[in-house]
Amino acid sequence: MGALDGRSDASSDGVDDYRRRARAWLTTNLPPLEGAAQRPTSEDLTPEVMAANRALQRKLFEAGYAGISWPKEYGGHGLSSAHEGAFLDEASAFAMPDFGALSATTFDICVPTMLTHGAPEFLRRFIPKVLSGDALVCQFFSEPSSGSDLAGARTRATRDGDQWILNGQKVWSTLAHLADWGLCLTRTDWDVPKHRGLTWFAVPCDAPGLTIRPIRQINETAEFCEDFFDDVVVPDTDRIGALNEGWAVTQTMLVLERGAGRRDAAIPPSGPGPMPEELVSLAQRAGRLADPLTRQRLARVHTTDFVGRVLTARIAEMGRLGELNPGLASYVKLFRGTYTPIRARLAVEIGGGPAMIWEGGDAKRAATSLAYLNGRSASIAGGTNEMQRNGIAERALGMPREPSFDAHRPFNEVVREAQNPKGTP
Amino acid sequence: MELTLTSDQELLRESTSRFIAGRCPLTTVRGLVDSHTGVPEGYLRAAADLGWFALMVPEEQGGGNVSGDGVRDAALIAEERGRALQPGPFVSMNVVAAALAASGPTEAQAALLAALCRGETVATWVPGDATADAGADGGITATPAGRDFELSGQADLVQDGTLADWLLVTAGSGDDLCQFLVRVVTPGLSVVPMSGHDITQRFAAVTFDRVRVPTGSVVGERGGCRRVVERQLQLACVLSTAETIGAMDVLFEMTRAYATERTAFGRAIGSFQAVKHQLADMSLSLEAGKAIAVAAVRAVQAEQHDAGEIVSMAKAWVGDTGIDIAQGCFQIFGGIGYTWEHDLHLFLRRITMNSLLFGQPDWHRERICRMHGL
Ligand SMILES: Cc1cc2nc3c(=O)[nH]c(=O)nc-3n(C[C@H](O)[C@H](O)[C@H](O)COP(=O)(O)OP(=O)(O)OC[C@H]3O[C@@H](n4cnc5c(N)ncnc54)[C@H](O)[C@@H]3O)c2cc1C
């Protein structure tokens, strides 16, 4: 499937023509981008902003520029990832639909996962809604008792004729309160080892019995949510993948989440471009542009930014040339998880104390502090650095798997024991 | 480090690695550490037969390469050389050859260039400032003396200095730079062989005490050669970085394999998370190093406007992470890695020395700032 691994590039004929047509359409139909694209936070995504972005998405859909590499039978266009890359490249100068973090969870992670594992009947019904901007999808993966240990999910799905009743709790689900649907991991069999009793569902966020509450984050916004499932009814036709075979779906999702699904990943950067403007002006304000230590920090950030970009393109290329090894995808994620907090810290060191105080609500001046706080999430969200290191070591470098104390026993037994921990075995 | 090679390049890589394995494997390199040249008998001529010194020289000047991308071919060979810590001239020799070829050489210089391509004589590159990262121009100065020039000053770290018959010297002349091709047996010129940290390479300290050189030894235009010196620095950095990547790759692979073989507490040490995670971090740095090194090779090959910046990024990144990786490998090998018999220290020595040559990471980062007008 082109959307996932870009291996349909054999059909990349006519990309130049396609690019020209796309550019012409973009120029007449979309407003040009003013300044650099800033990812909107939950606070920016007011009902008006959401509505305007949905309208933009619908416009792309109607003009045939949504789902460029997704299968035709579901409303996509079945073109190569080179076509999609060309379009995105051209579109980078325009104001494209932007749903904050929901853009990525919908278009790069959840829906590509559905495309791989969903039933054709479901996809025919669902994908057109996604493409027209009417089905933004969040991730109902993590739970209070299982984050890294995703296979330890305890949200229960119980069969009731041709529907399922969901009970349990999800947490840290980014922008769930603004999403239309969630891709939800549940346990459908408790008597087998944990990886063998999982099943995925698509759940509408306004389903009766589902309560979604935003949680305030360290950066003061409330972007992620806690979600309570009390007898939420889901039809079996909204199941994603086979019953009790949810771990295979999870594998696909995890690879995509680590960045392999990003539609722009494979475009190699042409050059480093200018130094990060915000850091140069921080140095300037602090009167430190001539300070050798400050200059080292500036060049370090600039170098690391570019290295990250060429690494991302390299890993995407490796994926194209061979198998999309889940260990490979972890490289990009670990790079981000390692260097984002370092970058944020270097910025603080460049600006010094004065960069961390500001007058009133001066958002521009507050940006260093905000980036510093936001920098903490990169090493956790989407899989912690430690999980990426395990993935690289075990899957790319061939190290022995971690010993497991729970993976071979019935899950209900594991849960019982976790409630009365005896210490490590 | 390249993910895909053309069939010509694949052939070049294979023949290079076969040549190295046959003529100068690591055991041979090790056996030569106490020798004066560090190079096996006949090695240079044989390497020249494979085209090692002709890659960036046009055919009509006696050169040629397999793919039409001389820089990429040279980087490929440099990487293979790094994998087995090859001794003898390569980086500096190629920089000189490329410089002469591009300079519009005099007849005598053209003859020398052809001899370089054939491996009959050795030349090395003596940059005025790039090796010594203190950065001041004018480690060496050229003063007009009648129709000749007088060179004075010193270059403390000259790669392959003890093997060279000729030096391509960059000297400050007023506000300008000037390059000269000088025979090492010129009066006033002393080349002192140095013992050094990297026992598989040879370095010299070169002193110019009012060395009188004729106008005919000027290479290219008199003055105004900052641009060509910049190009030479880019080549030197990109090739030395490729060599380091080759060394890092082998070193890391040795360590990875060891982690699956060595057992402690009844299990492979690679099953301990502390070891696993170190390996994962090293592997990340290495993969990122390959990505930026390839970007630098491409940029230099294409003479991209920001090639100098990308090269400095590669040199800084690989310079730093190479040493980190070498340290991590030492850690995972435990005691055995600290023995003379083990190859680890040979890799550490080469990687470290390459990180210092042609500008150490800090020097390149400062350069990046200047390129942005800061
Ligand atoms: C900003 C943000 C947004 C998020 N968005 C979403 C979302 O949209 N949807 C969603 O479902 N989740 C989301 N998450 C949750 C995120 O995926 C989890 O927080 C993450 O996977 C870690 O799980 P945990 O918080 O339970 O930590 P734990 O799994 O309890 O980990 C705690 C510590 O133990 C370490 N650890 C755990 N297991 C191992 C192991 N095997 N080896 C070594 N170390 C280990 C971890 O690395 C970590 O350092 C988000 C998180 C953040 C911070």
Side-chain angles (χ1 to χ4, degrees), chain A residues 50 54 70 99-114 122 126-127 129-131 133-141 173-176 178-184 200-205 240:
Chain A
M50 287 297 284
R54 285 183 196 269
W70 290 1
F99 306 100
L102 280 178
S103 288
T105 60
T106 303
F107 294 100
D108 299 341
I109 304 171
C110 293
V111 179
T113 302
M114 293 173 175
F122 170 82
F126 191 74
I127 301 301
K129 286 193 267 193
V130 174
L131 293 176
D134 298 316
L136 297 171
V137 188
C138 71
Q139 304 172 310
F140 291 143
F141 306 166
S173 45
T174 299
L175 296 182
L178 300 181
D180 308 298
W181 290 75
L183 182 58
C184 184
W200 289 82
F201 293 96
V203 182
C205 291
I240 307 298

Side-chain angles (χ1 to χ4, degrees), chain B residues 286-298:
Chain B
L286 177 55
E287 218 45 58
K290 290 178 182 175
I292 188 69
V294 169
V297 171
R298 300 258 159 93

Side-chain angles (χ1 to χ4, degrees), chain B residues 9 18 34 56 124-125 129 137 140 182 194 263 270 333-334:
Chain B
Q9 287 171 327
R18 213 170 328 115
D34 292 322
M56 290 180 287
T124 194
W125 190 57
D129 66 332
D137 283 354
I140 303 162
V182 184
M194 307 294 276
T263 59
F333 267 99

